[in-house]
């Protein structure tokens, strides 16, 4: 019995609630048999179907309150009493027995009585038994035996399905017998069919879940045979309409005679079907499918025939179960092997994540996916075919919000749940998401692509409202069962239980690694803290020692600076004081030169040598004095446009350039921060050298360019076609008084020019070097720092810090 619905408040079926129609409590039965409801403990009749009058000649009220023995006889009373007292649940339901009605009721008519017990209520279905029952039973036994033997000849399930529907049609005499298989959403597909030739075929067609709603599927599991003898027959109501002990509707879910939902009756009529029988195929306690039998005129098969057909369905269920379990074990073994492979990979490396990266095919094979994304140790990585990084980030944010405290989510219709993700349905219509850590947002996310296909539906899946002439209306199932094609999109292959189970095993493995890794991390942190403490003590001692050394260095530096200052003063004084006697020598030499005609040849030669020596000595003193004064201070550093500097240099060297016929190519030199006067002198010295040291048979060809720039430095090249020098002199030429050419007649100079250049460059914290080949010219490279250029540009030639200058 049920306390959910009562006939006093009839259920009104609408488009919105038809899936909730209480078909288990219709309050009536089909007209080809009669139903008796008795109490389990007292065997007293509580309710009977109104049509009992047709079978017994007595009205329903005549039997109410009487013992079942007064209707079906003492033999049935004894049988049911023993069966209900049995410990076996199978003995208490769907037991069939041949009975005759008690004395005083119509005699010599044999009936099939089938009883079902649920709780305190016993339902007894009574149908008239065919006279040729013994002949039929022998025939059924022979057919079932032959069918069972023939199963061994068929290795493929499809061949068994086709043989089964043919056998059931031969056994039952229905016009059409179909094997109807459910998918994971309980949409059905006809996978085998046997029919009379005149009928169109339903083979390969799909039927929507709404054709057999959830409450109907539940009854198919509970009561494995459902028969409708005549869709046009008038149902017979129960008397009384409610159970007298509970005043509630009696649950008729186990009764084979239970009347049919008006919606289903109309559905069959729309198909042209007058009679039907459905036999459940149960695999692992789930409704796998149905053997659906249709007849296009009223048709009733005996209880024995139904039992024979049910036996065939049990054989089919067993074969499917065996096959499914075999395939499942094989697939499970494959995924377990992948799990083991991944675990082994992680053991073999220091960082377990490297073990995952090592075998991406195994990672994808774990869920038969084409892409995977994970976040471990704060890093997101993707492999295979996945959405973009931005799309993945949006999806993961949505998933963490959706799963709440759950750690697993999967779907094969992502865009149906969230249409915003339809844009990448091509690569991610199906997803499987597992969370390792909510705190650190560590997860794995697998992707399955869209699988587009076309489904052949047995008519467009819809229900409608039909308005009648009297203004009322009723719900109507679809009328047309002509082939209707639908293109299915935004759907992937669904994830099955084996894949989910193995992903959970993988998650456990990963969490173990995370825990072990966390423990190792704690140990390493503790060890690191110990080492830090030890290192801190060492550093403190080292700092004290360095402070002592620093103090000593500062004292030495101050002494060195004082010494340098004294040397600079000495060089200045010495150079300055040397100039006075040199000037006297030069003056006296000039005066003697006026009397040179009075001197002999030797004296004139000595006089010329003295004057040249004095002039050279003055040049050395001037250059030495200049060299001693080279230095750059913060006050002299400004934003310098080197293009302007080169204009000044060329102007100063105008006569030399013109006399030598030099060709000069100047590129865009840009700007630096430097001492403008020193930089001017640097470029002028190098340009003078390029003009001076030229081959006698060629005019100078000089180029000046900015050849390289980094974030901190700029490099310039001054290239000439002069006499060049050997590679061994590349460093020596920058030394004091170093001259590669001893002939002062050919190339005049003091040997301080390049030493001055190097001191200018080094005072700017830069570098200068040369590359040359004898007779092929020379390239001088100058690398100067750029720090401070931006600040100087902003401040408009303001002074900048001399952090890059000499201490």
């Amino acid at each position: 019995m049920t306390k959910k619905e009562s006939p006093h408040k009839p259920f009104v079926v609408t488009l919105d609630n038809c899936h909730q129609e209480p078909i288990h409590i219709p309050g009536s039965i089909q007209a080809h048999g009669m139903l008796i409801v008795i109490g389990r403990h007292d065997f007293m009749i509580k309710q009977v179907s109104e049509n009992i009058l047709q079978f017994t000649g007595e009205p329903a009220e005549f039997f109410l309150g009487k013992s079942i023995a007064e209707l079906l006889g003492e033999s049935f009373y004894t049988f049911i009493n023993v069966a209900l007292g049995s410990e076996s649940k199978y003995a208490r339901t769907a037991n069939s027995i041949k009975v005759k009605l008690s004395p005083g009721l119509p005699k010599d008519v044999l009936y099939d009585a089938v009883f079902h017990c649920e709780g305190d209520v016993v339902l007894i279905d009574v149908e008239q038994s065919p006279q040729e029952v013994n002949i039929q039973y022998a025939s059924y036994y022979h057919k079932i035996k032959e069918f069972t033997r023939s199963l061994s000849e068929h290795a493929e399930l499809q061949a068994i399905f086709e043989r089964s529907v043919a056998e059931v049609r031969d056994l039952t005499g229905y016009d059409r017998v179909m094997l109807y298989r459910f998918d994971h959403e309980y949409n059905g597909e006809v996978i085998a069919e046997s029919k009379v030739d005149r009928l169109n075929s339903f083979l390969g067609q799909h039927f929507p879940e709404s054709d057999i709603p959830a409450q109907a599927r539940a009854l198919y599991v509970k009561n494995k045979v459902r028969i409708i003898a005549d869709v046009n027959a008038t149902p017979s109501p129960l008397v009384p309409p409610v159970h007298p002990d509970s005043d509630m509707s009696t649950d008729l879910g186990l009764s084979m005679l239970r009347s049919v939902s008006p919606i289903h009756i109309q559905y069959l009529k729309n198909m042209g079907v007058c009679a039907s029988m459905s036999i459940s195929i149960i695999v692992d306690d789930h409704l796998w499918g149905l053997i659906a039998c249709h007849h296009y005129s009223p048709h009733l098969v005996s209880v024995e025939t139904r039992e024979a057909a049910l036996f065939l369905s049990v054989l089919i269920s067993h074969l499917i179960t065996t096959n499914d379990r075999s395939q499942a074990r094989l697939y499970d073994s494959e995924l377990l092997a992948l799990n083991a492979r991944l675990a082994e990979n992680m053991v073999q490396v220091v960082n377990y994540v490297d073990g995952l990266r090592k075998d991406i095919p195994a990672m994808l094979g774990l869920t038969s996916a084409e892409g995977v994304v994970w976040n471990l140790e704060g890093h997101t990585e993707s492999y295979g075919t996945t959405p973009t990084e931005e799309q993945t980030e949006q999806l993961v944010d949505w998933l963490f919000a959706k799963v709440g405290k759950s750690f697993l989510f999967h779907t094969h219709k992502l865009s149906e749940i969230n249409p915003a993700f339809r844009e990448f349905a091509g690569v991610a219509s199906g997803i499987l998401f597992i969370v390792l850590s909510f705190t650190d947002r560590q997860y794995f996310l697998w992707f399955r692509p869209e699988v587009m296909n076309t489904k052949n539906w047995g008519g467009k899946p819809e229900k409608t409202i039909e308005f009648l002439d009297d203004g009322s209306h009723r719900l109507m199932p679809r009328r047309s069962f002509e082939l209707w094609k639908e293109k299915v999109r935004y759907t992937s292959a669904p994830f099955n239980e084996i894949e989910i189970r193995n992903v959970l095993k993988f998650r456990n493995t990963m969490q173990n690694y995370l825990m072990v890794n966390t423990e190792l991390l704690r140990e390493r942190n503790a060890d690191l803290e110990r080492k830090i403490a030890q290192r801190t003590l060492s550093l403190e001692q080292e700092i004290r020692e360095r402070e002592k050394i620093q103090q000593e260095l500062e004292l030495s530096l101050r002494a060195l600076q004082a010494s340098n200052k004294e040397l600079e003063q000495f060089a200045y004084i010495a150079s300055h004081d040397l100039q006075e006697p040199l000037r006297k020598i030069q003056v006296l030499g000039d005066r003697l030169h006026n009397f040179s005609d009075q001197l002999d040849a030797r004296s004139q030669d000595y006089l010329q040598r003295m004057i040249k020596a004095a002039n050279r000595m003055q040049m050395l003193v001037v250059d030495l004095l200049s060299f001693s004064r080279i230095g750059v201070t913060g006050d002299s550093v400004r934003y310098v446009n080197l293009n302007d500097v080169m204009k000044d240099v060329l102007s100063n060297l105008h006569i030399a350039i013109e006399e030598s016929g030099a060709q000069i190519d100047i590129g865009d030199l840009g700007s630096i921060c430097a001492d403008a006067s020193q930089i001017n002198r640097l470029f002028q010295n190098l340009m003078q050298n390029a003009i001076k040291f030229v081959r006698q048979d060629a005019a100078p060809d000089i180029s000046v360019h900015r050849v390289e720039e980094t974030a901190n430095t700029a490099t310039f090249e001054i290239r000439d076609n002069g006499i060049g020098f050997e590679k061994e002199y590349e460093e020596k030429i920058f030394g004091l008084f170093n001259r590669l050419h001893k002939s002062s007649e050919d190339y005049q100079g003091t040997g301080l020019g390049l030493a001055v250049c190097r001191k200018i460059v080094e005072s700017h914290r830069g570098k200068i070097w040369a590359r040359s080949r004898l007779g092929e010219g020379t390239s001088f490279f100058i690398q100067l720092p750029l720090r401070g250029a931006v600040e100087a540009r902003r401040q408009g030639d303001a002074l900048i810090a001399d952090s890059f200058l000499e201490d």
Side-chain angles (χ1 to χ4, degrees):
M1 288 183 291
T2 181
K3 296 187 178 181
K4 293 183 179 179
E5 297 290 344
S6 169
H8 302 304
K9 295 180 180 179
F11 186 87
V12 179
V13 182
T14 68
L15 282 173
D16 296 325
N17 69 4
C18 59
H19 62 286
Q20 298 175 343
E21 181 186 5
I23 58 176
H24 61 299
I25 51 171
S28 60
I29 65 167
Q30 298 180 62
H32 64 271
M34 57 181 174
L35 177 67
I36 307 162
V37 181
I38 66 173
R40 175 175 179 177
H41 303 291
D42 58 10
F43 301 139
M44 303 302 290
I45 298 174
K46 309 294 184 179
Q47 292 174 284
V48 294
S49 57
E50 189 177 69
N51 66 346
I52 197 171
L53 176 64
Q54 300 171 17
F55 295 93
T56 66
E58 297 291 345
E61 290 79 5
F62 174 80
F63 298 99
L64 297 178
K66 293 184 178 181
S67 170
I68 190 63
E70 296 184 43
L71 177 58
L72 300 183
E74 291 294 337
S75 297
F76 180 78
Y77 178 88
T78 302
F79 174 79
I80 195 172
N81 191 18
V82 172
L84 292 177
S86 171
E87 294 183 359
S88 171
K89 67 177 182 178
Y90 300 107
R92 298 194 297 270
T93 183
N95 283 278
S96 175
I97 184 173
K98 301 292 183 180
V99 299
K100 290 184 178 181
L101 300 184
S102 294
L105 298 175
K107 299 180 179 180
D108 300 325
V109 177
L110 198 61
Y111 292 89
D112 288 306
V114 181
F115 71 88
H116 312 269
C117 178
E118 187 168 4
D120 293 332
V121 175
V122 180
L123 305 178
I124 305 172
D125 293 321
V126 181
E127 299 180 44
Q128 187 171 338
S129 181
Q131 296 300 316
E132 66 280 8
V133 61
N134 293 330
I135 300 174
Q136 285 185 341
Y137 182 78
S139 175
Y140 298 155
Y141 174 78
H142 176 72
K143 288 181 179 180
I144 292 172
K145 181 180 178 181
E146 286 299 310
F147 174 72
T148 305
R149 184 188 61 78
S150 69
L151 293 180
S152 61
E153 301 174 0
H154 302 289
E156 297 294 331
L157 277 179
Q158 184 58 37
I160 294 173
F161 296 156
E162 292 169 0
R163 174 67 190 276
S164 299
V165 294
E167 198 69 35
V168 171
R169 190 165 80 88
D170 182 57
L171 182 69
T172 61
Y174 281 95
D175 292 333
R176 185 200 305 269
V177 177
M178 300 172 288
L179 190 62
Y180 189 82
R181 178 175 59 192
F182 294 112
D183 65 13
H184 60 284
E185 293 178 332
Y186 286 102
N187 298 308
E189 179 186 6
V190 178
I191 60 172
E193 181 183 50
S194 177
K195 64 179 182 63
V196 296
D197 293 339
R198 71 177 187 275
L199 298 177
N200 64 309
S201 176
F202 286 154
L203 184 62
Q205 294 189 17
H206 295 74
F207 294 82
E209 176 271 343
S210 58
D211 278 12
I212 305 177
Q215 70 272 38
R217 297 194 298 270
L219 288 180
Y220 279 129
V221 175
K222 189 175 184 181
N223 190 354
K224 297 178 178 59
V225 178
R226 176 63 166 151
I227 190 166
I228 301 172
D230 185 358
V231 297
N232 295 307
T234 303
S236 178
L238 292 183
V239 179
V242 296
H243 196 284
D245 294 342
S246 65
D247 195 33
M248 301 299 292
S249 300
T250 300
D251 188 340
L252 304 183
L254 291 174
S255 172
M256 291 189 295
L257 294 174
R258 172 173 50 86
S259 63
V260 188
S261 161
I263 299 177
H264 188 59
I265 289 292
Q266 188 63 49
Y267 179 88
L268 293 175
K269 287 181 178 180
N270 291 347
M271 292 184 75
V273 175
C274 290
S276 71
M277 181 172 70
S278 300
I279 307 168
S280 304
I281 298 177
I282 308 297
V283 175
D284 289 333
D285 297 325
H286 289 87
L287 185 62
W288 182 93
L290 297 171
I291 298 175
C293 308
H294 287 174
H295 210 70
Y296 294 87
S297 61
H299 187 65
L300 178 63
V301 295
S302 67
V303 172
E304 286 81 8
T305 303
R306 297 173 217 168
E307 290 179 347
L310 179 60
F311 180 76
L312 294 181
S313 76
V314 171
L315 285 178
I316 296 170
S317 298
H318 174 72
L319 291 171
I320 294 171
T321 301
T322 302
N323 181 77
D324 285 357
R325 288 178 179 175
S326 175
Q327 295 295 325
R329 282 194 295 270
L330 181 61
Y331 190 38
D332 193 32
S333 297
E334 292 175 357
L335 297 191
L336 283 173
L338 293 180
N339 252 322
R341 205 163 89 191
L342 291 169
E344 183 181 2
N345 290 340
M346 289 188 283
V347 169
Q348 293 174 346
V349 295
V350 176
N351 184 352
Y352 67 96
V353 183
D354 290 334
L356 300 179
R357 300 187 186 105
K358 180 180 177 182
D359 201 347
I360 297 303
M363 283 296 302
L364 298 175
L366 197 61
T367 62
S368 295
E370 293 194 10
V372 64
V373 172
W374 69 64
N375 185 287
L376 298 171
E377 299 180 344
H379 300 288
T380 301
E381 301 179 34
S382 62
Y383 299 92
T385 306
T386 65
T388 65
E389 184 177 344
E390 181 180 356
Q391 290 169 340
T392 300
E393 185 176 349
Q394 293 174 355
L395 176 58
V396 169
D397 289 342
W398 176 79
L399 283 168
F400 270 106
K402 184 173 182 60
V403 299
K405 294 184 178 180
S406 175
F407 56 81
L408 173 68
F409 176 82
H410 64 90
T411 178
H412 67 290
K413 294 183 177 181
L414 176 62
S415 58
E416 184 176 297
I417 300 174
N418 190 335
F421 300 136
R422 183 167 292 181
E423 62 179 322
F424 53 85
V427 295
S429 283
I431 61 169
L432 196 160
F433 180 66
I434 58 168
V435 180
L436 301 181
S437 169
F438 287 95
T439 304
D440 301 325
R441 283 174 68 96
Q442 298 189 78
Y443 63 84
F444 283 87
L445 177 58
W446 287 270
F447 300 96
R448 282 184 177 175
E450 176 185 30
V451 179
M452 292 185 287
N453 60 75
T454 300
K455 273 192 175 180
N456 295 326
W457 293 95
K460 190 173 183 179
E462 61 183 4
K463 291 183 174 70
T464 60
I465 293 291
E466 180 181 65
F467 291 90
L468 306 178
D469 294 338
D470 61 2
S472 61
H473 60 272
R474 61 178 177 177
L475 183 65
M476 293 291 291
R478 53 194 168 93
R479 296 178 180 273
S480 173
F481 287 85
E482 294 181 359
L483 183 65
W484 181 73
K485 293 179 180 289
E486 179 188 24
K487 189 173 184 180
V488 180
R489 291 208 58 191
Y490 309 118
T491 301
S492 75
F495 297 93
N496 62 41
E497 293 181 3
I498 297 173
E499 292 161 344
I500 301 300
R501 185 167 62 247
N502 276 276
V503 162
L504 293 178
K505 290 179 181 177
F506 174 73
R507 179 180 183 270
N508 291 338
T509 301
M510 291 304 305
Q511 287 197 312
N512 289 336
Y513 271 97
L514 290 177
M515 286 192 298
V516 170
N517 198 53
T518 301
E519 186 61 30
L520 288 174
L521 186 61
R522 289 197 192 98
E523 293 178 0
R524 289 173 182 171
N525 286 340
D527 185 53
L528 183 61
E529 288 177 359
R530 289 192 295 271
K531 290 181 178 179
I532 289 174
Q534 294 172 358
R535 182 59 178 158
T536 301
L537 292 174
S538 300
L539 286 174
E540 289 175 352
Q541 178 65 28
E542 187 176 341
I543 289 171
R544 286 193 291 271
E545 292 177 358
R546 288 189 176 186
E547 287 176 348
K548 182 178 179 181
I549 293 172
Q550 183 70 23
Q551 291 173 355
E552 294 174 355
L553 286 174
E554 289 177 356
L555 292 173
S556 299
L557 180 61
R558 283 196 289 270
L560 182 60
Q561 287 174 338
S563 176
N564 286 341
K565 190 70 174 177
E566 291 174 357
L567 286 173
E568 288 177 3
Q569 290 176 350
F570 170 77
Y572 176 78
I573 293 170
S575 300
H576 183 270
D577 291 346
L578 283 173
Q579 290 189 73
E580 182 60 26
L582 281 175
R583 282 195 292 271
K584 289 181 179 180
I585 292 173
Q586 288 173 322
V587 170
L588 293 176
D590 288 340
R591 290 180 179 178
L592 285 173
H593 185 68
N594 293 332
F595 301 100
S596 60
D597 54 348
Q598 300 178 17
L599 301 176
D600 59 19
R602 178 177 291 183
S603 298
Q604 290 181 2
D605 180 54
Y606 288 160
L607 179 62
Q608 289 294 331
R609 290 185 181 186
M610 181 188 71
I611 293 172
K612 285 184 178 180
N615 290 338
R616 177 168 173 74
M617 184 64 181
Q618 187 180 39
M619 289 174 60
L620 284 171
V621 170
V622 170
D623 285 351
L624 184 62
L625 181 61
S626 175
F627 183 81
S628 68
R629 290 176 173 177
I630 294 174
V632 181
T633 66
D635 293 340
S636 64
V637 176
R638 297 179 184 275
Y639 174 54
V640 179
N641 187 327
L642 294 183
N643 296 314
D644 295 338
V645 169
M646 285 304 301
K647 289 180 182 178
D648 293 341
V649 169
L650 295 178
S651 176
N652 295 338
L653 300 177
H654 173 71
I655 295 175
I657 292 171
E658 194 172 77
E659 289 178 349
S660 65
Q663 297 294 321
I664 300 176
D665 175 30
I666 308 291
D668 183 5
L669 303 180
S671 302
I672 60 171
C673 283
D675 183 321
S677 63
Q678 300 285 9
I679 293 298
N680 188 299
R681 184 174 183 185
L682 167 66
F683 279 91
Q684 183 161 316
N685 280 4
L686 292 174
M687 292 293 290
Q688 281 178 322
N689 278 359
I691 294 170
K692 181 196 305 182
F693 295 103
V694 67
R695 299 193 305 269
Q696 294 181 355
D697 60 345
D701 186 0
I702 306 167
S703 67
V704 183
H705 290 276
R706 188 171 185 144
V707 294
E708 184 179 349
E709 183 171 337
T710 67
N712 300 316
T713 63
T715 302
F716 305 89
E717 179 186 16
I718 301 175
R719 186 174 67 240
D720 62 48
N721 63 336
I723 59 177
F725 54 84
E726 299 286 358
K727 183 176 179 61
E728 60 185 288
Y729 297 111
E730 287 180 353
E731 290 297 328
K732 295 180 180 179
I733 60 173
F734 294 105
L736 285 171
F737 305 112
N738 278 339
R739 287 173 53 83
L740 303 183
H741 308 282
K742 301 301 183 182
S743 175
S744 60
E745 297 295 332
D746 295 334
Y747 306 106
Q748 295 183 355
T750 62
L752 285 173
L754 291 179
V756 169
C757 289
R758 182 170 68 175
K759 188 171 184 181
I760 292 172
V761 172
E762 289 179 349
S763 68
H764 283 79
R765 294 282 178 91
K767 297 178 183 178
I768 183 170
W769 67 96
R771 296 289 181 266
S772 180
R773 295 182 67 175
L774 187 63
E776 297 182 9
T778 303
S779 289
F780 283 93
F781 296 92
I782 306 164
Q783 187 182 81
L784 296 171
L786 293 175
R787 280 185 293 174
V790 174
E791 290 81 356
R793 188 176 297 112
R794 288 175 180 165
Q795 298 172 17
D797 290 350
L799 296 179
I800 60 172
D802 59 344
S803 60
F804 67 99
L805 304 179
E806 287 189 317
D807 294 331

